Amino acid sequence: MTSAIRHTTIDCADAYALGGFWSQVLGLPLHEDDHPGDEEALIEAAGLLFVTVPEPKTAKNRIHFDIQPQDRTRDEEVERLLGLGAKLFDDRRKPDGTGWVVLADPEGNEFCVERSAGERGA
């Protein structure tokens, strides 16, 4: 017998708000039972569970997401995510077009935006 990872759980100050941000990033809906003020919010298709906790984030993430745009370039996706409320954390883009961008979600959780598959193949 083996085990399976059912959810990746993210502690946060506002589960519904942070779940809503990631819902927009991924283009996937929050669970139909989730509402503002709920202590949990789920993006079922991505296996992401957001849980409201009392303590704030205090250090760098030990695990993070690497986002790869599916229908736009890395730079276009970075601009879109900044417009959704992400913050620039570290720009690792190189003059030759390689590299990535480290952003932080509205609660300060770091994540990376990589080049799209099309950009990698070019």
Side-chain angles (χ1 to χ4, degrees):
M1 291 290 222
T2 62
S3 294
I5 295 173
R6 182 165 179 226
H7 298 122
T8 299
T9 302
I10 301 164
D11 292 350
C12 53
D14 184 335
Y16 188 81
L18 192 59
F21 169 81
W22 281 102
S23 172
Q24 291 180 67
V25 169
L26 301 172
L28 298 170
L30 285 174
H31 193 276
E32 62 188 25
D33 293 337
D34 294 332
H35 303 286
D38 288 352
E39 292 188 8
E40 296 181 357
L42 175 65
I43 302 174
E44 196 163 21
L48 296 178
L49 177 63
F50 301 87
V51 178
T52 300
V53 297
E55 63 276 2
K57 180 180 183 292
T58 58
K60 182 181 181 293
N61 298 2
R62 298 283 300 203
I63 186 171
H64 69 266
F65 300 122
D66 290 338
I67 303 297
Q68 184 181 45
Q70 300 299 297
D71 60 354
R72 58 185 58 98
T73 68
R74 174 199 56 213
D75 295 346
E76 291 168 336
E77 183 68 348
V78 167
E79 291 306 313
R80 183 181 81 88
L81 299 175
L82 291 170
L84 292 176
K87 302 284 188 243
L88 180 63
F89 187 82
D90 189 14
D91 193 335
R92 302 272 180 119
R93 290 176 277 198
K94 297 178 182 173
D96 67 358
T98 62
W100 63 93
V101 178
V102 183
L103 299 178
D105 70 20
E107 290 202 13
N109 300 299
E110 302 90 2
F111 64 99
C112 296
V113 182
E114 299 181 349
R115 293 180 298 156
S116 67
E119 290 173 294
R120 288 176 179 275

